[in-house]
């Protein structure tokens, strides 16, 4: 007999996983601004991952190394992937299909499943490198916060607590935690960068900001720049994982089966909600990313500090202590732990979903019902953090692992950009009423070209 708790988990999983849209799940989209705001959430779950390794570590490290020079790249990185995210999101809502089902339709070589399914699995494997650095960094932050114990001990403790939270497999749990943590951390950091810093010896001028908007490429720090471009804004793994959070929220299920009364209008309505979700999320993570870069350039670069090694979190704490005073060290340690742990939670949940469903799609993992799907996801929810810890144990360099992982993730940006383009033209042929229109198509092409050009060009300049 299945318990009520398990029934709730399986019901949520059905909304997120099942390709079949049911009339019983129909929900009319909101028409008021307040109702629309209440229906937002998927991008804020992603923000829990975005405002983490890329911003706290890689972005700050780049600013510390080269100053304001590549502020333009930080802004470009955040803006250049939104249309890719929207193209994928539209396809999900219009078709009700999940990630691996969509990827399995991509033409090309097959080995049990499309090459794109295997690519998504390899993408999650490359993400493990970055997450190994996060695993170690959250332990460093926790050690700095409580003052006792070893970083490895705390990394394991908070890692296990995170698995326990995610083990229930319910989207709402993740969303509530992420929204709270991301908002709190974002407010603190943006205040320091845009207001607090100006009352310290590290205040910056308009000319400093202007110097970072001149499209210059520094001779040093290019590897970190590629890593930052791969992780800031939306990385390839976050673009992939968005499909789960959008379906888990219910955007696709709430449209109901195609052909039912009012289906087209409902689909359009939920696409509008999704678009606002993307826009607001983009504003949040762009501001926070710029804030971290400015703090790194204004404080750490001027101090001559390049964060790294086991002093990583302590080095980063200077961004707060030099702005607010020594008392702010504890505030930073708490904020750092919050953002690193949120990154760990979101990406651990994402890895378990993408890898589990990918192996199921490739028929490596056999399933007969949703309970077995849940079992495989839980299995990979344990395996993922275990591999993170082992990688960190072998290579105990948090900043090095994050930068290397970001470079690996950047390689997949051209792939996901091309996949988004293919999905756009597919929906344009099959359901043109849901395509992004001429302006959107132009912006999508610009996004694809920018992502391919920067990643390929960046590696050629190394």
């Amino acid at each position: 007999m299945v318990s009520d708790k398990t029934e709730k988990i399986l019901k949520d999983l059905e909304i997120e996983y099942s390709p079949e849209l049911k009339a019983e799940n129909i929900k009319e989209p909101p028409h008021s601004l307040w109702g629309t705001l209440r229906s937002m959430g998927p991008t804020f779950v992603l923000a829990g991952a975005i405002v983490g390794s890329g911003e706290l570590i890689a972005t700050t490290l780049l600013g510390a190394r080269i100053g304001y020079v590549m502020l333009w790249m930080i802004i470009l990185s955040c803006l250049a992937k939104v249309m890719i995210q929207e193209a994928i999101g539209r396809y999900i809502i219009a078709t009700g299909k999940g990630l691996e089902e969509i990827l399995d339709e991509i033409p090309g070589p097959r080995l049990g499943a499309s090459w794109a399914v295997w690519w998504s699995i390899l993408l999650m494997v490359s993400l493990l490198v970055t997450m190994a650095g996060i695993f170690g960094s959250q332990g460093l932050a926790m050690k700095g916060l409580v003052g006792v114990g070893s970083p490895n001990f705390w990394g394991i403790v908070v890692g296990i607590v995170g698995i326990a939270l995610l083990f229930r497999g319910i989207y709402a749990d993740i969303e509530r935690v992420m929204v709270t943590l991301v908002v709190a951390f974002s407010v603190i950091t943006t205040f320091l960068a845009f207001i607090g810093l100006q009352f310290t010896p590290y205040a910056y001028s308009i000319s400093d900001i202007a110097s970072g908007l001149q499209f210059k490429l520094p001779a040093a720090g290019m590897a970190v720049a590629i890593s930052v471009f791969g992780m800031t804004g939306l990385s390839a793994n976050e673009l992939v994982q968005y499909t789960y959070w959008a379906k888990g929220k219910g955007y696709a299920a709430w449209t109901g089966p195609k052909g039912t009364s009012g289906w087209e209008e409902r689909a359009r309505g939920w696409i509008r909600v999704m678009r606002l979700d993307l826009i607001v999320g983009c504003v949040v993570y762009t501001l926070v990313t710029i804030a971290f870069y400015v703090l790194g350039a204004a404080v750490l670069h001027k101090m001559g500090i390049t964060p790294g090694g086991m002093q990583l979190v302590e080095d980063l704490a200077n961004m707060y202590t030099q702005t607010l005073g020594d008392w702010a060290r504890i505030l930073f340690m708490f904020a750092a732990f919050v953002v690193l742990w949120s990154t760990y939670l979101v990406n651990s949940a994402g890895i378990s979903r993408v890898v589990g469903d990918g192996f199921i799609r490739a028929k490596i993992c056999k399933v007969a019902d949703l309970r077995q799907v849940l079992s495989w996801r839980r299995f990979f929810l344990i395996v993922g953090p275990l591999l993170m810890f082992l990688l960190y144990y072998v290579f105990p360099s948090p900043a090095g692992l994050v930068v290397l992982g970001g470079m690996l993730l950047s390689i997949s940006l051209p792939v996901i950009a091309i996949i988004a383009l293919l999905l756009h033209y597919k929906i344009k042929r099959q359901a043109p009423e849901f395509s992004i229109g001429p302006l959107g198509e132009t912006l999508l092409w610009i996004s694809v070209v920018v992502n391919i050009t920067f990643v390929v060009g960046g590696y050629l300049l190394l």
Side-chain angles (χ1 to χ4, degrees):
M1 184 176 178
V2 180
S3 67
D4 292 341
K5 181 178 178 181
T6 303
E7 284 285 5
K8 178 65 170 64
I9 295 173
L10 293 174
K11 184 176 180 180
D12 284 358
L13 180 59
E14 181 179 15
I15 290 176
E16 180 184 318
Y17 185 83
S18 176
E20 181 182 355
L21 301 181
K22 298 182 178 180
E24 64 190 57
N25 292 325
I26 287 177
K27 182 177 179 180
E28 294 299 325
H31 298 287
S32 66
L33 177 60
W34 175 243
T36 301
L37 292 174
R38 290 186 62 188
S39 298
M40 290 165 51
T43 299
F44 283 92
V45 174
L46 281 185
I50 293 168
V51 186
S53 56
E55 279 64 14
L56 179 59
I57 299 177
T59 300
T60 307
L61 180 59
L62 182 63
R65 285 189 179 181
I66 64 175
Y68 297 96
V69 178
M70 293 198 75
L71 177 59
W72 65 269
M73 189 272 291
I74 297 296
I75 298 172
L76 180 66
S77 177
C78 291
L79 300 181
K81 303 156 190 173
V82 179
M83 286 308 301
I84 295 173
Q85 185 183 18
E86 179 169 345
I88 297 172
R90 280 176 176 268
Y91 193 87
I92 291 166
I93 294 176
T95 65
K97 295 177 180 178
L99 172 68
E100 299 302 347
E101 186 180 5
I102 292 172
L103 294 180
D104 204 20
E105 296 174 354
I106 301 298
R110 299 183 63 86
L111 182 61
S114 169
W115 65 270
V117 172
W118 291 106
W119 162 78
S120 70
I121 295 172
L122 290 175
L123 173 62
M124 294 300 108
V125 173
S126 63
L127 175 60
L128 286 174
V129 179
T130 294
M131 292 309 301
I134 295 299
F135 195 98
S137 298
Q138 67 183 7
L140 290 172
M142 194 65 182
K143 166 63 166 59
L145 181 63
V146 301
V148 296
S150 70
N152 285 354
F153 167 77
W154 284 116
I156 293 172
V157 169
V158 297
I160 291 173
V161 172
I163 292 174
L165 173 65
L166 295 170
F167 214 72
R168 297 179 64 214
I170 299 177
Y171 171 87
D173 290 346
I174 303 170
E175 182 184 79
R176 282 192 293 268
V177 174
M178 291 307 101
V179 170
T180 302
L181 299 185
V182 169
V183 168
F185 184 67
S186 299
V187 169
I188 294 171
T189 305
T190 52
F191 170 79
L192 291 183
F194 300 137
I195 299 176
L197 202 61
Q198 296 303 94
F199 298 94
T200 73
Y202 302 96
Y204 52 87
S205 64
I206 294 177
S207 61
D208 289 328
I209 301 300
S211 69
L213 301 176
Q214 297 178 12
F215 300 99
K216 293 181 179 179
L217 292 173
M222 197 60 205
V224 180
I226 295 172
S227 178
V228 169
F229 189 85
M231 286 189 292
T232 52
L234 295 162
S235 63
N237 66 284
E238 288 150 359
L239 287 165
V240 164
Q241 290 174 17
Y242 181 77
T243 61
Y244 284 96
W245 310 135
K247 283 206 73 180
K249 181 69 175 178
Y251 289 164
W254 292 337
T255 64
K258 187 175 182 178
T260 55
S261 176
W263 174 80
E264 184 175 326
E265 186 58 35
R266 282 194 301 274
R268 288 180 182 277
W270 287 116
I271 286 174
R272 287 194 297 269
V273 174
M274 178 199 69
R275 170 173 279 183
L276 183 61
D277 182 67
L278 299 182
I279 292 172
V280 174
C282 179
V283 171
V284 169
Y285 61 68
T286 299
L287 287 175
V288 176
T289 303
I290 294 173
F292 269 116
Y293 185 80
V294 168
L295 285 170
V299 179
L300 300 182
H301 183 69
K302 191 171 183 179
M303 293 179 68
I305 294 176
T306 301
M310 300 308 289
Q311 283 292 114
L312 172 67
V313 179
E314 293 289 349
D315 289 341
L316 293 173
N318 284 287
M319 295 186 297
Y320 274 41
T321 59
Q322 296 298 317
T323 307
L324 298 175
D326 291 340
W327 68 268
R329 176 184 172 278
I330 294 299
L331 175 63
F332 174 80
M333 290 299 171
F334 174 73
F337 169 72
V338 161
V339 74
L340 290 167
W341 196 52
S342 67
T343 300
Y344 167 77
L345 288 175
V346 174
N347 282 324
S348 293
I351 288 170
S352 68
R353 285 162 167 76
V354 176
V355 175
D357 291 356
F359 279 132
I360 290 171
R361 196 74 190 178
K363 300 179 178 60
I364 302 298
C365 298
K366 306 294 184 180
V367 298
D369 53 34
L370 286 177
R371 277 177 290 185
Q372 291 182 350
V373 172
L374 181 61
S375 295
W376 279 115
R377 286 189 178 185
R378 285 176 166 175
F379 172 75
F380 288 110
L381 185 58
I382 296 172
V383 170
L386 179 60
L387 291 176
M388 296 172 201
F389 171 72
L390 292 175
L391 276 170
Y392 175 69
Y393 184 79
V394 175
F395 304 104
S397 174
L401 286 166
V402 168
V403 171
L404 175 59
M407 294 182 71
L408 293 174
L409 291 173
S410 70
I411 296 172
S412 284
L413 281 174
V415 180
I416 191 64
I418 292 172
I419 288 174
L421 202 59
L422 291 172
L423 295 177
H424 162 64
Y425 281 107
K426 189 171 183 178
I427 199 172
K428 188 176 181 180
R429 291 191 306 271
Q430 298 177 356
E433 66 272 21
F434 298 120
S435 67
I436 53 181
L439 176 60
E441 185 174 313
T442 301
L443 293 175
L444 177 60
W445 268 104
I446 292 173
S447 298
V448 172
V449 171
V450 167
N451 280 276
I452 293 175
T453 301
F454 195 92
V455 173
V456 173
Y459 275 99
L460 291 176
L461 289 174
L462 282 179

